[in-house]
Amino acid sequence: MKHVLIDYLNVLWATKDVVDSLRYGDADLITNDEKLLGRIGILSDNIDRHIELSEQMSNVLSSGLEVMQSIYNNQLQNLNNRFALVTAYLTVLGTAFLVPNTLATIAGSGVMGGTMGEQWWYVPLLIGSTVIATLVSFLWVLHVWQKREEVE
């Protein structure tokens, strides 16, 4: 639509140039008949009004595009916020499972001596560390959400 409007404005300006050259052009080529010059003046005024209307339409289209872009940007920002929230939750969950994973890595490296499956405390240690790390992470998330609700 904007391209068509620009083409239309180009045609109007070209027509305005032709009409003005007829109106104010070479005296040998143009008649001095007042009636004909008056009609050319009316034609020039009509073209001016069409140019003004076309420029107004251009402004309307531009503002409409700005509104559409603002709506699109708001929707994109909302989606980005949701992805950031999901990323935060996944980070907290990953952190909760990092503690037992680290313990299992240390125990599996042979530092503690022997196979860990033979130790009676190994499995309860992994389960307990998972529960404690998950509980601490959950409490931290609750704390952050409470602060966020107080701010809003």
Side-chain angles (χ1 to χ4, degrees):
M1 179 89 174
K2 185 112 176 160
H3 293 294
V4 171
L5 186 61
I6 290 170
D7 291 341
Y8 181 66
L9 272 170
N10 288 336
V11 168
L12 284 176
W13 280 111
T15 305
K16 174 77 171 155
D17 289 341
V18 169
V19 169
D20 284 345
S21 68
L22 285 175
R23 189 175 184 189
Y24 304 111
D26 188 6
D28 292 334
L29 298 175
I30 304 298
T31 181
N32 60 356
D33 182 13
E34 289 297 323
K35 187 174 179 182
L36 185 59
L37 288 175
R39 288 181 180 170
I40 292 174
I42 292 171
L43 183 60
S44 179
D45 291 341
N46 283 339
I47 292 172
D48 285 338
R49 278 196 296 274
H50 280 279
I51 289 172
E52 289 172 10
L53 286 173
S54 297
E55 288 174 350
Q56 282 289 62
M57 181 60 81
S58 178
N59 290 336
V60 167
L61 285 175
S62 295
S63 63
L65 288 173
E66 288 173 6
V67 168
M68 292 296 289
Q69 189 174 14
S70 295
I71 291 170
Y72 173 74
N73 286 339
N74 287 340
Q75 290 174 346
L76 192 60
Q77 185 65 40
N78 287 339
L79 184 64
N80 190 25
N81 289 343
R82 289 180 184 173
F83 278 130
L85 186 63
V86 168
T87 303
Y89 277 120
L90 291 177
T91 302
V92 169
L93 287 175
T95 304
F97 288 109
L98 185 63
V99 174
N101 186 29
T102 303
L103 292 174
T105 301
I106 292 170
S109 68
V111 172
M112 295 184 178
T115 59
M116 291 284 89
E118 297 173 359
Q119 307 296 328
W120 66 269
W121 49 267
Y122 179 64
V123 173
L125 175 69
L126 291 180
I127 292 171
S129 65
T130 303
V131 169
I132 290 171
T134 304
L135 184 62
V136 169
S137 298
F138 178 72
L139 291 175
W140 180 79
V141 168
L142 284 179
H143 177 71
V144 169
W145 273 103
Q146 286 174 351
K147 279 189 175 183
R148 181 178 173 201
E149 288 175 359
E150 289 174 3
V151 171
E152 292 175 359

